[in-house]
Amino acid sequence: MIDEQMFRKRAADVQKKFFNKMQRAAMAIGAHDEYLVCSRGTGKSEGVDARFILRNVWEMPGSTGALLSPTYSKAWNNTLPAICHALKTWGYIEGVHYVVGHKAPPSMNFAQPKRPVLMDAYKNGMHFWNGTFVVVLSFNQGMSANSMSLDWVIGPEAKFLDYEKIKSEVNPANRGNEQYFGNCPHHHSVCYTTDMPTSSRGRWILDKEEEMDAGHINYIRNLYRQLKTMERTEGITEEYRDRCVRLLRKDLDLARKFQPPVIKQKGKTREFTVFYGEYDIFDNLEVVGEDYIWQMYRDSPPLIWRTAFLNERLFKVPNGFYSALDDNVHFYIPSDSGTIDSLPRNWKSLIATSANCLGDDDVDYNRPLHMAFDSNAAINSAVVAQKDGHTMKVLHSFFVKTPLKLQELVQNVCDYYAPKLSHTCTVYYDSTFVWETGSSSESYADLIERVFEENGWTVTMRFVGPPPQHAWKHEAIDLALKGDPGYLAIRFNAMGTEFLKLAMEQTGIRQGKNGFEKDKTPEGTQDTPDNPDEYKTHVTDAFDTLWYGMNFYYTDGSERSGGLVFIGR
């Protein structure tokens, strides 16, 4: 076994680090079960995820932890690179202190896990110097935790994790090994972090606030404060200080592990301590700075800004334009390919992969894409789908904001889907896209076609006529969402269409002269933090055009034009 002392830096080499409010709170409390809803930019990976992993690695050498992910591709493309980067900021280097995707070779002299690990499992995890092993579990691989005996669990991006699977598959596996780590206060601990959930799938984590005993958390804070005060107290004997510190640490460990039952039950005297917290971008102001916050405010759609950065709890507007939209029916997490061997293990390759469709397991690389655009002076947006039998699979939504315009948006779509084997697509557009762009005689439709062809795509431009009236569109899309067989079934990639989903859920309805209309009045209101001009219902209009085109003007690109289909509207 490698001498652990060799990994400790000399005192002169220790670097001081600043931790923000959220990070300090999580470190000081150190509860057995942690559930943190933190906005983007608050330092979850470095201050919570990496800290939780390192704490358990040191406290339980040779333990087996699990890192949960909705899919293997998301784990390897996004989560693991972020965690490895965070570990590096703590001074733990891949290839020195741990290896990823394989078992450490004998030359590295790493210790082995307390419980033997199958050789194939090493391909899908992290092996640390002291024998601790972290296995990646995909929720799209049924019973991936079956027969495991875990010592701790971490779940970044918890809003994408199915809570029923956590309860039925992961929690039962977080068991045993008391003979090795029974005295550790964090044995079988869990840590789930996320930004604010935007669907019912992820809102289970918000309910964890009710499982926290706020008085007990304050008790832990006071114990921690007393411990640090005693460690710094002067004018007392070293023996007395050591004895007080030892007793305070013992009390603190016990308080971190157990709390009084929140719901009293006969015979139940304690339960694992739960810490729940919500933090927004301003809790990390000292690190990210005002300029970054202003940039995120300017570049983010308002609903993303409000949920992902301000951590607001936004819920679906009642009786909205897309009132039949259902998290449990219309949204899916892409399935894994069934193997992780094809995923790259080089972090540079992973970063490149995350910037294109190679990480999207629901894309059919041999079939054409179908898409529609919405163009506006402030924001341009696009929605991309494929037809799968009688289903319209909405794969991804895109947007750019001024000063970027429609041409840059189309280029972004081309770049994202460049790895596809078939560079064939159909673009549906209505009469608003035959207008000239203002800078030339080129129309919006001409511009889209030109950029695709410049990138080597075979594009079919499908004109769908004037936009349908809102009353008809509201009724028809509502029927489609409710499963009317006369229309394509609609399914959305939950991870690729997050801001489209938010927009659809927040789109209201009003009574117009021709019946129900999409409420677009916010687009004409004054620019405010809650309703900025750069993002209103624009992307929903792109979806409407795409849905209309795929249902009534569908072509797979084998024909360059076709007859119009007249319907009542």
Side-chain angles (χ1 to χ4, degrees):
M1 179 186 298
I2 292 182
D3 183 0
E4 294 180 358
Q5 293 298 321
M6 69 180 294
F7 292 104
R8 297 181 178 275
K9 292 185 176 181
R10 294 193 304 267
D13 295 330
V14 172
Q15 298 181 7
K16 292 184 178 181
K17 291 180 65 64
F18 173 83
F19 294 101
N20 61 38
K21 174 183 176 181
M22 176 271 293
Q23 295 166 336
R24 294 195 302 270
M27 292 176 189
I29 295 168
H32 187 275
D33 297 347
E34 299 179 60
Y35 302 91
L36 299 177
V37 181
C38 310
S39 72
R40 298 176 188 176
T42 51
K44 293 190 293 293
S45 295
E46 179 178 341
V48 180
D49 297 338
R51 184 266 310 168
F52 178 85
I53 292 173
L54 289 173
R55 182 197 69 194
N56 290 343
V57 167
W58 279 102
E59 289 188 359
M60 294 174 278
S63 61
T64 301
L67 188 151
L68 308 183
S69 179
T71 65
Y72 281 132
S73 61
K74 184 169 182 61
W76 287 94
N77 290 335
N78 304 108
T79 308
L80 276 173
I83 287 178
C84 289
H85 175 76
L87 290 175
K88 184 177 180 180
T89 65
W90 283 81
Y92 293 81
I93 311 301
E94 182 192 0
V96 178
H97 303 94
Y98 66 95
V99 294
V100 181
H102 62 91
K103 183 179 180 180
S107 60
M108 297 188 74
N109 199 28
F110 276 21
Q112 302 306 307
K114 296 291 187 183
R115 291 181 65 91
V117 176
L118 296 176
M119 289 302 298
D120 286 345
Y122 278 108
K123 296 180 180 179
N124 195 31
M126 308 169 71
H127 184 192
F128 284 82
W129 79 92
N130 66 359
T132 301
F133 179 68
V134 184
V135 61
V136 177
L137 298 181
S138 166
F139 272 32
N140 262 323
Q141 296 293 311
M143 301 303 293
S144 56
N146 194 28
S147 75
M148 287 189 176
S149 184
L150 303 173
D151 298 300
W152 47 274
V153 174
I154 182 170
E157 297 293 337
K159 67 181 181 180
F160 292 120
L161 299 177
D162 186 335
Y163 190 48
E164 292 303 316
K165 289 190 176 183
I166 291 176
K167 291 189 294 183
S168 64
E169 298 182 23
V170 178
N171 289 349
N174 194 10
R175 64 189 178 192
N177 300 333
E178 295 295 325
Q179 70 274 28
Y180 302 125
F181 313 114
N183 294 325
C184 177
H186 296 109
H187 190 213
H188 299 314
S189 58
V190 301
C191 177
Y192 292 93
T193 60
T194 183
D195 55 16
M196 183 58 66
T198 56
S199 69
S200 60
R201 177 186 291 107
R203 285 183 180 153
W204 62 268
I205 195 172
L206 304 181
D207 297 333
K208 291 298 179 179
E209 184 175 13
E210 300 176 3
E211 299 180 14
M212 178 179 68
D213 185 329
H216 188 75
I217 296 301
N218 286 331
Y219 173 60
I220 293 176
R221 287 194 177 100
N222 288 330
L223 282 176
Y224 184 79
R225 185 182 299 111
Q226 292 177 36
L227 173 63
K228 293 303 175 184
T229 300
M230 179 57 64
E231 289 177 340
R232 300 186 184 98
T233 300
E234 299 179 355
I236 58 176
T237 65
E238 184 174 345
E239 180 183 358
Y240 177 73
R241 180 191 296 110
D242 290 345
R243 179 159 55 89
C244 289
V245 167
R246 185 169 59 254
L247 292 174
L248 283 169
R249 284 178 176 168
K250 183 177 180 180
D251 290 343
L252 185 58
D253 285 346
L254 184 62
R256 284 170 166 170
K257 187 169 186 177
F258 296 115
Q259 67 180 19
V262 174
I263 299 177
K264 307 298 182 182
Q265 291 179 312
K266 186 177 180 179
K268 186 177 183 181
T269 60
R270 66 187 187 184
E271 60 190 10
F272 287 133
T273 299
V274 172
F275 174 54
Y276 175 89
E278 293 185 15
Y279 302 90
D280 61 38
I281 186 65
F282 293 100
D283 289 316
N284 200 27
L285 176 63
E286 300 94 333
V287 175
V288 299
E290 291 186 22
D291 292 336
Y292 172 82
I293 294 177
W294 278 113
Q295 179 185 359
M296 293 302 100
Y297 169 74
R298 182 190 66 215
D299 293 346
S300 301
L303 297 177
I304 295 294
W305 164 254
R306 293 173 64 187
T307 57
F309 293 98
L310 297 186
N311 233 30
E312 291 186 26
R313 298 189 183 189
L314 294 185
F315 298 94
K316 186 178 178 181
V317 296
N319 303 316
F321 193 81
Y322 306 97
S323 57
L325 200 64
D326 189 323
D327 291 335
N328 298 318
V329 175
H330 301 113
F331 293 88
Y332 66 91
I333 300 293
S335 298
D336 281 320
S337 61
T339 177
I340 62 168
D341 293 336
S342 60
L343 291 171
R345 297 297 188 268
N346 178 277
W347 296 137
K348 292 183 179 179
S349 299
L350 287 168
I351 293 172
T353 298
S354 63
N356 59 45
C357 67
L358 286 177
D360 297 345
D361 296 304
D362 55 340
V363 176
D364 188 329
Y365 287 81
N366 296 300
R367 301 183 65 183
L369 299 173
H370 298 263
M371 61 190 73
F373 293 80
D374 182 84
S375 185
N376 186 272
I379 182 172
N380 290 269
S381 52
V383 180
V384 179
Q386 284 185 318
K387 188 177 179 183
D388 183 8
H390 195 63
T391 299
M392 171 186 176
K393 290 176 61 176
V394 185
L395 306 174
H396 215 288
S397 51
F398 298 83
F399 69 90
V400 298
K401 281 172 279 190
T402 189
L404 301 179
K405 296 298 182 183
L406 182 61
Q407 177 163 325
E408 287 80 7
L409 174 63
V410 180
Q411 185 62 52
N412 288 349
V413 175
C414 290
D415 293 341
Y416 189 84
Y417 288 104
K420 277 186 85 271
L421 299 178
S422 170
H423 284 183
T424 303
C425 67
T426 298
V427 176
Y428 302 95
Y429 66 101
D430 59 30
S431 56
T432 63
F433 270 64
V434 299
W435 301 339
E436 296 178 357
T437 61
S439 59
S440 69
S441 60
E442 185 180 46
S443 70
Y444 293 123
D446 293 337
L447 183 151
I448 294 171
E449 184 175 21
R450 172 176 59 80
V451 176
F452 271 113
E453 290 180 344
E454 288 175 351
N455 282 269
W457 285 70
T458 299
V459 56
T460 298
M461 303 298 296
R462 194 74 154 134
F463 181 64
V464 300
Q469 291 183 359
H470 283 203
W472 176 87
K473 190 165 57 174
H474 168 69
E475 180 180 359
I477 294 178
D478 187 72
L479 289 172
L481 290 171
K482 292 177 178 177
D484 189 316
Y487 303 98
L488 295 175
I490 307 172
R491 298 294 182 268
F492 298 84
N493 180 322
M495 294 187 290
T497 62
E498 186 176 1
F499 80 93
L500 169 62
K501 177 182 186 294
L502 282 169
M504 295 178 72
E505 289 181 337
Q506 295 295 312
T507 299
I509 198 169
R510 68 176 185 175
Q511 184 69 38
K513 62 181 181 179
N514 296 315
F516 289 123
E517 293 181 354
K518 182 183 293 188
D519 187 4
K520 303 185 74 172
T521 55
E523 295 184 15
T525 58
Q526 184 178 0
D527 185 23
T528 65
D530 287 343
N531 191 31
D533 290 339
E534 65 265 27
Y535 184 84
K536 268 86 178 188
T537 56
H538 305 292
V539 69
T540 69
D541 291 340
F543 167 77
D544 292 350
T545 302
L546 180 58
W547 174 85
Y548 184 48
M550 290 187 68
N551 276 275
F552 300 102
Y553 294 85
Y554 180 83
T555 178
D556 61 6
S558 60
E559 53 178 313
R560 299 294 290 179
S561 63
L564 296 179
V565 178
F566 292 96
I567 58 177
R569 61 178 188 269

